[in-house]
Amino acid sequence: MLILTCPYCGVTGEETEFAAGGEAHLKRFGPGSSDAEFESYLFARKNEKGVTFERWRHANGCGKWFHAARCTVTLEVFGTYKAQVTEPPKEILAAIRKRRPGWEPAA
Amino acid sequence: MSDRAVSPLAGAESSGFAKVSEAGLRGMITLRGDLADAGFAGAVKAVTGCDVPGRREVVEQGGKGVAWMSPDELLVMVPHAEAEAAVAQLSQALAGSHFLAVNVSDARAVFTIEGAGAREVLAKLAPVDLSPEAFGAGQIRRTRLAQVPAAFWLSGEEVFTLVAFRSVAQYVFDLLTVSAKAGSEVGFLAR
Amino acid sequence: MSTRLATQGRLINRDKRLEFTFNGKRLQGYEGDTLAAALLANDQMLVGRSFKYHRPRGILASGSEEPNALVNLGEGARLEPNQRATTTELFHGLTATSQNHFPSLEFDIGEINNSLARFLPAGFYYKTFIHPRFAWKHVFEPFIRQSAGLGKAPKEADADRYEHFYAFVDVLVIGGGVAGLQAARAAGEAGARVLLIEQEPHWGGRAPVDGAVIEGKPAEDWVKDTLQALEAMENVTLRNRMMGAGVYDHGYALGYERVADHIPGSDLPRHRLWRIRAKQIVTATGAIERPLSFAGNDIPGVMLATAVRDYVVNYGVSPGDRTVVVTNNDDAYRTALCLKRAGLDVPMIVDVRPLVTSPLATEALQAGIRVETGKGIAKVKGRKRVTGVALCLQAGEGSVIEEVKCDAVAMSGGFSPVVHLWSHCGGKLIWDEANAHFRPDPARAPTGAQGEAFVVTAGMASGAMTTGEVLADADAAGKAAARAAGFTPRRFAAPKAAEEPSEPMAPVWMMPQGASYDLRMKMWLDFQNDVKVSDVQLAAREGYESVEHTKRYTTLGMATDQGKLSNINGLAVLADALGEDIPQVGTTTFRPPYTPISMGAIAGEARGEIFQPLRRTPIHGWHEAHGAHWEPVGHWRRPYAYPKAGETVEEAVHREVLNTRRRVGLLDASTLGKIVVKGPDAGRFLDMLYTNMMSTLKVGRCRYGLMCNENGFLSDDGVVARIDEDTWLCHTTSGGADRIHQWMEEWLQTEWWDWKVYVANLTEQYAQIAVVGPDARHVLERLGGMDVSKETLPFMGWQEGKLGGFDARVFRISFSGELSYEIAVPASQGLAFWEALMEVGEAYGMQPYGTEALHIMRAEKGFIMIGDETDGTVIPQDLGLHWAISKKKEDYLGKRAQARSFMDNPDRWQLVGLETLDGSVLPDGCYAIGEGTNANGQAEMFGRVTSTYYSPTLGRGIAMGLVHNGPQRMGEVIRFGTPDKSFVEARIVDPVFYDKEGEKQNV
């Protein structure tokens, strides 16, 4: 069972305090978008083995959504960050590269 | 019509290695806004006499108090009969800014857990380090109490105040009571 | 025969006798005994029957690795099957019965399987029960079900209670032998918060039994001193009777504390499951002795050599008068010497090694014990207990050299470190050639949240084999764990132990090396599941190359002991059969828990009244007092109906509908979701959330709205009221309140975070009561207060004020088609308000109604219900709700999805009303059956019933359903299949059955 740190309230809690919310940094496509764009938004998930960016909510806590950069193989957490961004912040990318030299985000 | 107002469990009590009580009605206001704003802080101070608490902190004085709930939300506590007036006062003070002040007094149930074993009663139910080194006075913790969300803080050296939703008041009371059952002290936090 | 000795027994108190029963027989033991020790002391060699062949089985081990001695423990509400006698503390009044036999342990009909064993090899069931196909259901499955399972399942509810406890420590040390004690001491001295747990009721592990000498004193004394030192440390907690059950991600571990197993009925929680978060975990879990594979190694009286020693030293119990020791290592010589010292006979030590000159061997010879080297056991003689062994050359094929009379055999095949807890969370193993075992590879430890290694092994669990090595390793482990947790270890040296010189062991996986098939099919690997050497070899011949596949095919290691004794031996046999090296074949996966833990401990406090949270409205108690028949709605309980004396629930529902339609009814609608949405961007936000336009709603007015998910499917509905210029109140379904609140927060936090909107869930702040029916206005007028006339408060309006002195917000909305007011008052006053209404309503014949009357009335009006008409695949357009979908809006959640070709297609199943031709009630969920069959040979279906009721108002069955092109087929008669395979004919009609013009609600 994972432990995560909520970047809003600062609580480091166990997984049962949080709720997982799927892949982070999806771009919403609404009316006027192509079928392919809409499919990419609603259905196509990277489901990466290794470094992954996820959405989490501090459900039994401050209620805020945040993002976690974590490894699906080792389960280590590179960092958590606030949800109001469209891509992982620099310090998170740096933290990942520190432990995974040469890692590049998937397209 | 406050004489018609009843708390969820009418002040139920139980005692084991800690005393569990439903603490009756308490005025509570969910106040959302910009916590760093001076006007916001002023409005909070005017209503409660308390400063805006820091992250995960709670202040209580003279039957009133303020708890930090999230980066844009406070729980303002006043006597139950004063809650509507406090909402009005806050709304007036904050008019023109983006905020939300709503009375949630009756959506909540408040409990106290008292005694040397109080920490262990909670540690049976919440995934939180309740050792004195990790959790002390002035801190509020929102977490999971068995299967429901709850928040608690220390109101005295060996007294916890715990807030949960009103609809699950009986469940929370029963949880606390069974966890405090005499003889089931764990002896880990208080040795 | 096995018996109690006059001397020894360091763990028992001979002054305190305890009575217990086994299979109804009254027996005596001492305080400190395990059930196994007490059974042996009473010469109860035979304790159970094996799973498949019903072979007689005796006690094999002395700890948690025991595969045979499983009993039904206790009676009635405290009956628990499959309890290991070796880890059950004896208490006064204990009752145990043996398992898996009929009619008795001594005489078991199932033993016939044993005679047929030749015909019941691995995979027998898979191969046999395939043909003929029909026989599976009627012959094979009932037979297998009858034979399956070892113990009896309890029939009564568990009498005990259980609990969890969350503990946070720097260092968790699992195992209270000398390694665990030293590791805890080293970590504790560094200042770390340490929790040391031990599954047994006593500390020190094997060292005191084995005669180890530490710091110049007997291990027993060193253990006492160390315990004293640990108890004096404020930062160290010691817990015995607590097993490390599992190690999980990010330093999570489960501790299974058996608080009251040894004192049943004490009113303490029986088990406590510790949910531990540790920065570092030290596993000092020791090692388990391996059996040797020789024919008849399962006959009662054959035991592990260390277990024999344990029974003599710890409990003063001798497993036999004449014990033959068979070994491939030096340690078993300690057993021989121990037996000799206890005045018992050891006719022979059979050692597979060709030459043994170690000090222990010399000591054995000096004690007058005959040592036969290079030999093995060809077979054990006896059936229900050992009567002798036949000696052979280990290198040969099993020709008998000599027969030796004995009543016990102590065997030792070497030691395997207990690597389970290390492996649970991904710790890797390496093969140790010298000791022929897998041990933890310190370079590949389980890793935690920061990618750091968080488990370190100590002592025999690391593969250390002498007391000196064990203590040095444990000291280093304790210090390393403390350092990794952020503390500075003290520079104390590790304790020193006396030298224990020994000769290398010799791996032996089969005895003798060239055993014939007849011998191999009597060599047990997995005692509990009856897997023999011949079975694993058969699996290899049949092409099973992976150890994981072989495990499942043969059931090796799949019993409740999870192969603690059988895994290494089994995979060594497999490796040999495959011609591969053991490390290449590898091990199966170690999964928690280490030994089975009770379901009660997992559930913790969650049972009975607090099994799950029950949500109660402020009026719950009144409903209960007035005979409510309950319906669960999410975690809420809502009154389904209020049957009166002599009335059925159905009759009550019909009465409530008619009374509400004719006079006036009262509904507790407090569970309805109430979410306030406020801010300069609130209107814009709600326009995105709802399919219709909410920003244009006027203050003081209400509007019914629909919410869809991004897939376009309906997810919730409800009435929205505009409170003021920048505030809206959104009503949701009862089940949807929390979900919709979170849905709103999700969009505000993660997509439109620059929009100025705050939301709050006020569902529980208000009690909400619906006053419904032609007399509704009269009731409110009699209550007094605000003007509720049509002019002041028209249909779909709301207003705030006083009603009967209560602060109230009144909404003129209707879910029944009648004149209806929904009134919200503060929850704390909800009960008082309800009672005030009941009082004034009496004059109008007002009666409360429940959820079923609510459902019938809404169906009569053709109103949809989320969860009935919707199932996660229905879009608003399917339900004829086009009027609630704004054409003006560029965007709303779900709009893009609804533009997909298959959603935009008029050729879908759509909502209609259904009237049976005979007036009967259609079965819920039944399908409209067409002509012919589909590609799968199933009947063509083109519609289904979504809501169906008997309408007391109309005196006939009414239904709604989704039918292919339904609205274009008005008047058509179609047929529905029923569960009894008949058909019911129904006519497609308008879904509004009652008051089509909507006059009644708008008065």
Side-chain angles (χ1 to χ4, degrees):
Chain A
M1 186 169 43
L2 309 183
I3 43 181
L4 294 167
T5 300
C6 171
Y8 293 96
C9 69
V11 158
T12 298
E14 64 164 51
E15 211 175 318
T16 64
E17 276 200 22
F18 301 95
E23 189 175 314
H25 307 306
L26 296 176
K27 177 171 165 41
R28 178 174 187 263
F29 285 97
S33 57
S34 70
D35 281 354
E37 284 169 335
F38 188 65
E39 188 200 16
S40 78
Y41 159 54
L42 205 58
F43 300 113
R45 294 293 174 265
K46 295 197 184 100
N47 197 24
E48 276 162 298
K49 182 176 181 180
V51 177
T52 186
F53 300 94
E54 291 174 331
R55 306 190 321 145
W56 287 82
R57 186 168 62 90
H58 197 180
N60 284 301
C62 71
K64 294 300 183 201
W65 283 90
F66 61 91
H67 291 156
R70 134 188 130 75
C71 177
T72 54
V73 178
T74 64
L75 302 188
E76 66 195 286
V77 180
F78 303 110
T80 55
Y81 52 99
K82 295 185 175 180
Q84 292 79 30
V85 290
T86 53
E87 56 187 38
K90 281 198 193 84
E91 60 273 21
I92 292 291
L93 296 176
I96 297 169
R97 290 205 179 94
K98 199 169 162 197
R99 280 193 249 156
R100 297 284 186 280
W103 170 83
E104 285 302 326
Chain B
M1 301 316 296
S2 60
D3 56 325
R4 291 158 162 179
V6 289
S7 69
L9 303 179
E13 284 183 8
S14 70
S15 60
F17 68 84
K19 186 181 163 199
V20 176
S21 324
E22 193 245 353
L25 290 168
R26 185 151 190 196
M28 293 190 172
I29 295 146
T30 288
L31 180 62
R32 300 189 65 175
D34 179 1
L35 271 52
D37 180 73
F40 185 90
V44 170
K45 182 102 182 179
V47 168
T48 62
C50 302
D51 292 324
V52 170
R55 184 160 89 158
R56 287 206 322 279
E57 287 177 0
V58 59
V59 281
E60 282 184 295
Q61 61 176 48
K64 298 183 177 181
V66 186
W68 188 97
M69 301 299 273
S70 87
D72 60 5
E73 182 180 335
L74 299 179
L75 186 68
V76 173
M77 293 173 280
V78 295
H80 188 258
E82 296 171 25
E84 280 300 331
V87 170
Q89 193 185 340
L90 286 166
S91 300
Q92 199 169 14
L94 296 170
S97 69
H98 176 42
F99 76 100
L100 174 72
V102 283
N103 186 354
V104 295
S105 314
D106 288 4
R108 305 280 183 270
V110 186
F111 298 88
T112 56
I113 304 105
E114 280 172 79
R119 287 176 183 273
E120 287 196 344
V121 173
L122 290 176
K124 290 182 185 182
L125 301 167
V128 175
D129 187 351
L130 278 145
S131 63
E133 305 80 57
F135 192 85
Q139 280 177 269
I140 179 171
R141 184 67 154 82
R142 300 180 70 178
T143 182
R144 173 179 67 77
L145 195 80
Q147 300 171 56
V148 294
F152 53 74
W153 63 89
L154 277 162
S155 292
E157 199 164 320
E158 291 179 344
V159 187
F160 280 88
T161 300
L162 182 142
V163 179
F165 282 106
R166 181 182 179 113
S167 65
V168 292
Q170 188 67 51
Y171 171 74
V172 169
F173 181 77
D174 291 348
L175 279 179
L176 294 169
T177 299
V178 74
S179 297
K181 215 166 165 183
S184 68
E185 295 91 333
V186 181
F188 179 73
L189 294 174
R191 296 200 300 149
Chain C
M1 65 182 284
S2 65
T3 186
R4 183 82 68 179
L5 299 164
T7 57
Q8 309 223 46
R10 56 184 278 271
L11 300 179
I12 56 167
N13 174 10
R14 286 181 195 256
D15 295 334
K16 187 134 185 230
R17 283 178 186 279
L18 303 175
E19 294 214 342
F20 70 103
T21 69
F22 179 70
N23 286 344
K25 197 158 56 171
R26 291 167 67 94
L27 303 169
Q28 279 192 346
Y30 291 122
E31 185 181 72
D33 265 334
T34 61
L35 174 58
L39 286 170
L40 284 173
N42 286 280
D43 195 30
Q44 186 65 49
M45 267 282 179
L46 176 61
V47 293
R49 293 276 176 168
S50 70
F51 183 60
K52 190 169 165 186
Y53 303 127
H54 292 244
R55 301 260 300 178
R57 285 292 161 75
I59 293 158
L60 183 63
S62 58
S64 57
E65 69 273 32
E66 172 63 38
N68 290 340
L70 303 184
V71 296
N72 296 308
L73 200 64
E75 291 170 306
R78 288 207 162 83
L79 169 68
E80 197 165 25
N82 299 337
Q83 295 302 292
R84 279 177 310 282
T86 51
T87 56
T88 300
E89 283 180 70
L90 195 67
F91 54 85
H92 193 74
L94 178 149
T95 60
T97 57
S98 51
Q99 304 184 153
N100 204 37
H101 48 68
F102 176 84
S104 74
L105 177 60
E106 292 291 327
F107 176 75
D108 175 18
I109 286 174
E111 204 176 344
I112 190 156
N113 281 7
N114 187 30
S115 322
L116 301 174
R118 187 176 287 274
F119 309 108
L120 297 170
F124 169 77
Y125 292 86
Y126 298 135
K127 290 165 188 160
T128 310
F129 295 141
I130 278 189
H131 302 289
R133 284 291 289 268
F134 73 87
W136 172 252
K137 191 168 176 191
H138 302 289
V139 183
F140 302 145
E141 191 186 350
F143 168 74
I144 292 171
R145 282 193 185 280
Q146 171 67 29
S147 332
L150 278 169
K152 270 189 252 169
K155 290 200 169 68
E156 289 177 40
D158 191 335
D160 285 300
R161 66 193 176 89
Y162 302 83
E163 65 184 27
H164 291 176
F165 186 73
Y166 295 88
F168 295 76
V169 296
D170 296 314
V171 178
L172 168 68
V173 181
I174 300 172
V178 292
L181 290 168
Q182 181 56 33
R185 182 173 191 159
E189 282 167 347
R193 180 85 175 89
V194 178
L195 173 61
L196 169 61
I197 64 175
E198 162 57 43
Q199 61 184 349
E200 302 284 332
H202 43 79
W203 301 93
R206 293 215 55 79
V209 181
D210 294 350
V213 176
I214 305 171
E215 301 282 64
K217 54 195 169 193
E220 183 112 44
D221 296 344
W222 182 86
V223 168
K224 256 182 218 153
D225 294 349
T226 308
L227 274 175
Q228 235 170 38
L230 287 170
E231 272 159 11
M233 292 186 201
E234 277 284 311
N235 54 327
V236 177
T237 305
L238 302 159
R239 290 310 263 224
N240 57 11
R241 298 191 173 95
M242 179 156 152
M243 174 183 74
V247 171
Y248 306 80
D249 311 319
H250 294 190
Y252 185 54
L254 285 184
Y256 176 62
E257 186 182 16
R258 304 207 290 168
V259 181
D261 267 348
H262 58 300
I263 34 173
S266 62
D267 198 35
L268 294 177
R270 179 169 169 237
H271 299 148
R272 180 181 291 131
L273 193 66
W274 289 57
R275 305 174 66 165
I276 304 161
R277 213 38 101 149
K279 290 189 185 133
Q280 288 283 309
I281 296 174
V282 179
T283 61
T285 44
I288 289 178
E289 191 168 24
R290 293 191 296 256
L292 285 165
S293 300
F294 49 82
N297 62 351
D298 70 326
I299 294 169
V302 179
M303 295 173 73
L304 294 174
T306 48
V308 169
R309 204 149 84 223
D310 284 341
Y311 287 113
V312 171
V313 177
N314 286 339
Y315 307 104
V317 168
S318 94
D321 296 347
R322 287 167 61 81
T323 304
V324 167
V325 175
V326 53
T327 184
N328 65 353
N329 65 78
D330 268 20
D331 188 71
Y333 285 73
R334 293 196 177 99
T335 300
L337 290 164
C338 157
L339 289 167
K340 205 76 183 167
R341 274 196 296 272
L344 297 161
D345 193 11
V346 179
M348 186 185 289
I349 294 175
V350 183
D351 194 326
V352 297
R353 296 173 295 181
L355 184 69
V356 187
T357 56
S358 64
L360 275 168
T362 312
E363 206 183 328
L365 289 168
Q366 280 165 358
I369 302 173
R370 179 179 159 200
V371 178
E372 284 290 337
T373 55
K375 306 287 189 319
I377 287 178
K379 74 198 300 189
V380 178
K381 318 278 277 185
R383 205 168 69 83
K384 285 182 191 166
R385 63 168 62 198
V386 173
T387 57
V389 296
L391 206 63
C392 66
L393 289 172
Q394 168 59 19
E397 290 176 4
S399 304
V400 176
I401 301 170
E402 179 185 348
E403 290 194 357
V404 183
K405 279 194 181 341
C406 63
D407 52 9
V409 176
M411 62 179 165
S412 180
F415 292 83
S416 298
V418 175
V419 296
H420 301 62
L421 291 150
W422 166 269
S423 300
H424 283 169
C425 195
K428 299 289 184 287
L429 305 175
I430 42 179
W431 177 251
D432 183 317
E433 211 50 73
N435 290 306
H437 62 210
F438 282 103
R439 62 176 165 83
D441 179 357
R444 293 180 295 163
T447 54
Q450 310 302 317
E452 82 288 6
F454 76 88
V455 182
V456 52
T457 58
M460 291 192 91
S462 305
M465 296 306 287
T466 65
T467 312
E469 286 166 17
V470 161
L471 289 166
D473 184 66
D475 186 64
K479 286 173 177 164
R483 196 176 297 115
F487 297 85
T488 309
R490 305 282 294 271
R491 292 184 167 201
F492 300 133
K496 296 266 182 303
E499 296 268 320
E500 291 159 6
S502 69
E503 204 130 314
M505 60 90 73
V508 162
W509 309 116
M510 207 159 67
M511 181 179 276
Q513 182 183 290
S516 65
Y517 180 75
D518 273 356
L519 295 179
R520 281 182 278 132
M521 64 170 285
K522 294 286 181 198
M523 293 177 185
W524 262 259
L525 290 168
D526 186 318
F527 294 80
Q528 199 176 119
N529 266 358
D530 273 330
V531 183
K532 303 152 298 174
V533 167
S534 56
D535 293 320
V536 172
Q537 290 170 334
L538 175 69
R541 280 203 305 281
E542 292 186 349
Y544 288 88
E545 293 177 357
S546 149
V547 64
E548 295 283 6
H549 290 160
T550 302
K551 167 179 168 173
R552 280 145 187 91
Y553 186 59
T554 61
T555 70
L556 176 82
M558 288 176 70
T560 64
D561 61 338
Q562 290 284 288
K564 289 188 178 63
L565 297 179
S566 62
N567 276 344
I568 302 295
N569 286 353
L571 71 91
V573 170
L574 180 67
D576 178 62
L578 295 172
E580 285 180 15
D581 292 335
I582 290 171
Q584 253 176 288
V585 173
T587 64
T588 52
T589 310
F590 295 92
R591 291 196 175 87
Y594 177 61
T595 68
I597 65 175
S598 62
M599 296 303 286
I602 296 168
E605 82 295 329
R607 56 176 302 179
E609 286 294 308
I610 51 173
F611 171 65
Q612 61 175 20
L614 183 71
R615 297 179 73 183
R616 294 167 165 89
T617 75
I619 310 161
H620 186 96
W622 190 95
H623 302 318
E624 199 158 51
H626 290 78
H629 181 81
W630 297 104
E631 176 181 38
V633 179
H635 281 165
W636 294 103
R637 279 297 139 83
R638 299 189 69 183
Y640 178 90
Y642 303 82
K644 292 181 174 173
E647 199 178 40
T648 66
V649 173
E650 195 184 7
E651 285 163 357
V653 168
H654 296 167
R655 168 180 53 74
E656 289 170 11
V657 169
L658 292 173
N659 188 68
T660 304
R661 288 250 184 259
R662 290 171 188 164
R663 309 186 78 175
V664 59
L666 194 62
L667 176 81
D668 180 3
S670 303
T671 59
L672 215 66
K674 309 163 199 78
I675 302 168
V676 66
V677 180
K678 178 177 182 286
D681 293 315
R684 176 189 181 196
F685 175 61
L686 292 178
D687 283 347
M688 283 302 295
L689 240 58
Y690 285 89
T691 60
N692 35 3
M693 196 78 98
M694 288 300 173
S695 55
T696 56
L697 184 63
K698 297 214 165 13
V699 173
R701 299 292 296 163
C702 301
R703 184 171 289 165
Y704 173 75
L706 303 172
M707 277 190 236
C708 295
N709 58 27
E710 276 286 69
N711 225 327
F713 300 124
L714 256 179
S715 90
D716 210 74
D717 69 347
V719 171
V720 178
R722 186 148 186 190
I723 304 299
D724 60 35
E725 207 38 54
D726 67 353
T727 312
W728 282 254
L729 179 66
C730 303
H731 289 109
T732 73
T733 59
S734 292
D738 292 336
R739 180 170 50 86
I740 297 300
H741 176 232
Q742 284 161 19
W743 177 244
M744 290 176 172
E745 281 288 352
E746 182 178 349
W747 285 100
L748 287 171
Q749 289 179 36
T750 67
E751 189 70 22
W752 304 310
W753 59 75
D754 51 337
W755 294 13
K756 288 187 166 173
V757 183
Y758 285 127
V759 302
N761 186 354
L762 298 182
T763 301
E764 297 195 19
Q765 170 65 18
Y766 298 101
Q768 192 139 321
I769 298 167
V771 183
V772 180
D775 281 327
R777 186 173 289 133
H778 298 139
V779 171
L780 297 195
E781 281 166 355
R782 183 170 283 219
L783 203 56
M786 69 170 83
D787 180 359
V788 293
S789 66
K790 184 181 179 183
E791 294 67 38
T792 314
L793 184 54
F795 184 52
M796 295 307 269
W798 72 271
Q799 68 182 15
E800 214 162 26
K802 294 269 185 190
L803 257 187
F806 290 86
D807 293 321
R809 197 179 265 162
V810 184
F811 306 88
R812 254 208 74 186
I813 53 182
S814 179
F815 199 38
S816 56
E818 298 299 331
L819 171 63
S820 164
Y821 298 85
E822 286 201 13
I823 305 147
V825 300
S828 62
Q829 300 173 45
L831 177 60
F833 184 61
W834 175 276
E835 286 177 333
L837 279 169
M838 285 303 295
E839 205 180 309
V840 296
E842 205 180 352
Y844 299 94
M846 186 167 76
Q847 294 177 9
Y849 67 93
T851 51
E852 188 64 1
L854 162 91
H855 280 243
I856 291 175
M857 288 191 282
R858 68 92 193 165
E860 289 172 341
K861 278 293 292 176
F863 293 145
I864 64 138
M865 178 69 89
I866 298 292
D868 283 340
E869 275 63 45
T870 71
D871 63 356
T873 69
V874 173
I875 57 176
Q877 292 85 342
D878 295 339
L879 302 180
L881 295 168
H882 301 84
W883 57 269
I885 304 167
S886 169
K887 309 278 182 299
K888 291 185 221 152
K889 292 197 292 190
E890 272 177 29
D891 195 3
Y892 60 82
L893 299 181
K895 185 175 171 77
R896 173 63 184 86
Q898 289 163 2
R900 286 176 291 181
S901 56
F902 57 96
M903 296 273 205
D904 200 23
N905 188 345
D907 198 30
R908 289 173 67 86
W909 289 14
Q910 289 166 331
L911 188 77
V912 291
L914 296 163
E915 265 181 11
T916 49
L917 300 190
D918 61 2
S920 64
V921 180
L922 277 167
D924 203 357
C926 68
Y927 277 82
I929 309 290
E931 297 299 326
T933 55
N934 65 15
N936 294 321
Q938 299 156 324
E940 279 292 355
M941 290 174 286
F942 62 93
R944 67 184 164 83
V945 170
T946 56
S947 287
T948 174
Y949 301 97
Y950 174 76
S951 162
T953 315
L954 303 171
R956 53 166 299 126
I958 59 166
M960 288 193 272
L962 294 164
V963 175
H964 185 229
N965 282 329
Q968 277 80 55
R969 301 168 70 166
M970 285 296 154
E972 192 179 322
V973 173
I974 58 177
R975 50 177 203 154
F976 287 87
T978 70
D980 62 11
K981 297 202 159 76
S982 61
F983 294 99
V984 182
E985 287 188 316
R987 179 174 288 115
I988 299 178
V989 296
D990 185 274
V992 184
F993 295 91
Y994 176 75
D995 186 26
K996 286 189 200 294
E997 284 69 44
E999 285 168 354
K1000 286 181 167 282
Q1001 65 196 8
N1002 199 10
V1003 292

